[in-house]
Amino acid sequence: MKILKVNTDVAISGGEPQMVEKPRAEWSNEDKKKANLDNVGKDILYKMLDKNMFSNIKTCSTAKEIWEKLTQLCKENDQTKENKLTVAIQMFDNAKMKLGETMTEFDERFSNIICELIALGKYILIVKLL
């Protein structure tokens, strides 16, 4: 966590003041609380992650960086899920018995497609015609 202060060594030329990192010796009680909140946030995030996810964020230095990285990873997971769903729907739509395939084999293959769709949150109503 970087605590910043206005750089008084540089003249402000019609824009926003230039900010520099405040030395730890100059931190106020409020600055210390902010820095501690970042540590608390990181601690909570670390405790909620498994080893695989932790390896993706271990280089992040602030809770905000960790959160942004996790958000990015989850977006990628949503895209992956959407791609898997598209493939599973295509497999469902094109499901036909193969030449030489038994009913048992077809039923198992078709059941696997249905299980994949359900796992991806897609429920398909199948009407049995008699």
Side-chain angles (χ1 to χ4, degrees), residues 2 11 18 37 43 49 52 58-59 68 72 75-76 81 87 92 96-97 104 110-111 121 125:
K2 292 182 181 179
Q18 183 183 9
L37 283 176
D43 186 54
L49 299 174
N52 294 331
K58 66 183 175 186
T59 59
E68 288 171 351
Q72 177 187 1
K75 280 184 184 176
E76 290 172 5
K81 181 180 174 183
V87 169
F92 175 83
K96 294 179 184 171
M97 277 188 74
T104 304
F110 190 73
S111 294
L125 177 63

Side-chain angles (χ1 to χ4, degrees), residues 25-85:
E26 295 178 17
W27 283 13
S28 66
N29 285 338
E30 189 65 30
D31 294 335
K32 291 174 185 176
K33 286 179 185 178
K34 286 179 185 177
N36 189 48
L37 283 176
D38 186 65
N39 290 333
V40 170
K42 288 191 297 188
D43 186 54
I44 291 169
L45 291 168
Y46 289 156
K47 287 179 180 177
M48 298 305 294
L49 299 174
D50 62 13
K51 289 178 184 176
N52 294 331
M53 287 299 276
F54 181 78
S55 66
N56 290 317
I57 58 98
K58 66 183 175 186
T59 59
C60 299
S61 58
T62 66
K64 184 176 191 246
E65 287 178 28
I66 294 169
W67 185 255
E68 288 171 351
K69 182 73 171 182
L70 291 173
T71 303
Q72 177 187 1
L73 290 170
C74 290
K75 280 184 184 176
E76 290 172 5
N77 288 344
D78 287 345
Q79 290 171 347
T80 303
K81 181 180 174 183
E82 199 62 39
N83 291 340
K84 285 182 179 181
L85 183 58

Side-chain angles (χ1 to χ4, degrees), residues 4-5 7 11 13 15 30 36 56 59 67-68 84 90 93 105 126-128:
L4 303 176
K5 70 175 185 173
N7 186 357
S13 57
E30 189 65 30
N36 189 48
N56 290 317
T59 59
W67 185 255
E68 288 171 351
K84 285 182 179 181
Q90 288 174 348
D93 290 342
E105 292 168 336
I126 300 174
V127 178
K128 185 176 180 181

Side-chain angles (χ1 to χ4, degrees), residues 93-112:
D93 290 342
N94 298 323
K96 294 179 184 171
M97 277 188 74
K98 296 176 182 175
L99 191 60
E101 186 176 39
T102 66
M103 278 300 292
T104 304
E105 292 168 336
F106 174 73
D107 182 57
E108 184 177 329
R109 191 166 52 85
F110 190 73
S111 294
N112 288 338

